[in-house]
């Protein structure tokens, strides 16, 4: 059997008294595209942030590529890793947020080159060539010298995708990457994501784009109130949902 790229076992997360994740158990295989659906507040984005230890889980186990996220195990106890070790592991996981978070004083090319040079000590010449190739891959070969303020939202998001890919991640997390975009700009970003999926990148995508879920996902997960309600193929979950809560949600968005 193939070792899962992501394994979550009974993951709980609380903010004070509010329990946001109530025992999430999921596996994502290498090369799989998993789409997380559900209403706002269902815990989808929090779960993504737990995967790269931007949020610490309160109980359960969460591993990426066979290694615990943020912790090491000694005997039957877990010890949190040092921040430098967490940062090194986090660099193996690309994350694309709703808002693009590009450096406004850097060109598109410089934004993509920055982390490989700074974090991975990649020589500038190699980072430059890689960044050019990545910007071409996301359909922006003519925007190398453009600053974020000179780009549309969709173009900025594609630069953000290229920037995440520059770290050569083993896993890509997308947190509603099109929700801040004007509708006519969504298609180019989804196309870049479809291309990534076609190349075999392991991806977990939080989105409300049902067409993308139907076309690209291997697995669709419906979450509500911090729990996994339903999981299965896109045809099954979107076309023939078993759970009343899933049916009610889909009736409003499809």
């Amino acid at each position: 059997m193939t070792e899962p790229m992501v394994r979550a076992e009974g993951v709980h997360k609380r903010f004070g008294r509010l329990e946001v994740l109530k025992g999430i158990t999921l596996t994502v295989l290498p090369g799989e595209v998993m789409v997380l659906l559900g209403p706002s507040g269902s815990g989808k984005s929090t779960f993504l942030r737990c995967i790269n230890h931007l949020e610490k889980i309160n109980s359960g186990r969460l591993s990426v590529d066979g290694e615990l996220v943020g912790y090491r195990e000694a005997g039957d106890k877990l010890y949190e890793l040092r921040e430098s070790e967490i940062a090194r592991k986090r660099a193996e996981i690309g994350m694309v947020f709703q808002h693009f978070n590009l450096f406004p004083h850097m060109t598109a090319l410089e934004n993509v080159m920055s982390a490989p040079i700074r974090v991975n000590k990649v020589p500038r010449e190699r980072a430059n060539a890689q960044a050019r190739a990545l910007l071409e891959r996301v359909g922006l070969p003519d925007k190398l010298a453009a600053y974020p303020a000179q780009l549309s939202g969709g173009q900025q998001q594609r630069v953000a995708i290229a920037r995440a890919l520059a770290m050569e991640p083993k896993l890509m997390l997308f947190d509603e990457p099109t929700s801040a975009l004007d509708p006519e700009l969504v298609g180019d970003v989804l196309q870049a994501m479809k291309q990534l999926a076609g190349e075999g990148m392991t991806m977990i995508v939080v989105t409300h784009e049902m067409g993308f879920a139907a076309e690209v996902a291997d697995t669709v997960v419906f979450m509500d109130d911090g729990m996994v309600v339903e999981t299965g193929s896109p045809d099954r979950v979107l076309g023939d949902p078993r759970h009343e809560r899933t049916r009610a949600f889909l009736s409003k968005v499809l």
Side-chain angles (χ1 to χ4, degrees):
M1 276 186 60
T2 305
E3 175 73 28
M5 179 60 74
V6 178
R7 186 195 296 275
E9 301 170 275
V11 170
H12 288 256
K13 172 63 184 174
R14 291 186 304 277
F15 294 105
R17 293 184 179 180
L18 179 65
E19 191 171 23
V20 179
L21 299 177
K22 302 175 181 177
I24 301 294
T25 296
L26 287 172
T27 57
V28 184
L29 296 176
E32 183 177 356
V33 178
M34 177 177 282
V35 170
L36 304 183
L37 303 177
S40 296
S42 57
K44 309 180 301 297
S45 295
T46 298
F47 179 60
L48 276 198
R49 292 172 66 84
C50 289
I51 291 172
N52 65 2
H53 207 62
L54 288 174
E55 300 288 355
K56 300 176 188 179
I57 66 175
N58 294 107
S59 61
R61 296 170 71 87
L62 189 51
S63 59
V64 172
D65 200 18
E67 295 188 4
L68 288 173
V69 172
Y71 298 91
R72 63 180 174 82
E73 193 166 24
D76 58 353
K77 289 190 173 181
L78 297 181
Y79 298 89
E80 189 166 16
L81 298 175
R82 292 195 301 270
E83 191 55 46
S84 59
E85 293 176 279
I86 292 169
R88 185 167 52 80
K89 292 292 183 189
R90 193 177 285 142
E92 299 175 347
I93 302 171
M95 187 154 185
V96 178
F97 299 87
Q98 277 183 42
H99 300 289
F100 328 119
N101 302 325
L102 299 178
F103 296 118
H105 62 288
M106 292 184 181
T107 64
L109 185 67
E110 290 165 343
N111 263 284
V112 178
M113 289 172 59
S114 173
I117 292 172
R118 192 166 40 84
V119 179
N120 289 352
K121 312 303 181 196
V122 172
R124 177 169 288 275
E125 194 173 313
R126 196 169 107 215
N128 183 296
Q130 180 193 39
R132 288 171 182 271
L134 286 169
L135 286 166
E136 182 163 355
R137 190 167 155 194
V138 297
L140 296 172
D142 57 337
K143 299 296 183 184
L144 305 182
Y147 289 89
Q150 298 169 312
L151 299 172
S152 71
Q155 290 168 336
Q156 289 186 61
Q157 192 60 294
R158 283 184 281 157
V159 173
I161 292 171
R163 182 178 61 178
L165 291 172
M167 295 298 286
E168 300 181 349
K170 58 179 71 171
L171 168 68
M172 284 286 283
L173 309 176
F174 293 87
D175 188 8
E176 298 194 31
T178 60
S179 65
L181 302 179
D182 292 334
E184 68 268 24
L185 303 176
V186 167
D188 289 338
V189 173
L190 293 180
Q191 188 55 45
M193 293 168 64
K194 287 176 189 175
Q195 183 179 331
L196 266 186
E199 293 166 0
M201 175 62 75
T202 310
M203 296 162 58
I204 306 177
V205 184
V206 173
T207 186
H208 295 294
E209 299 291 340
M210 295 297 155
F212 176 86
E215 184 181 347
V216 182
D218 298 298
T219 306
V220 172
V221 175
F222 177 69
M223 289 177 62
D224 188 37
D225 194 28
M227 295 179 284
V228 172
V229 175
E230 191 157 356
T231 182
S233 69
D235 286 350
R236 227 272 300 131
V237 176
L238 300 179
D240 184 25
R242 309 278 163 83
H243 199 284
E244 179 53 41
R245 183 65 188 92
T246 316
R247 288 196 290 272
F249 175 79
L250 292 174
S251 71
K252 294 183 173 71
V253 298
L254 285 179

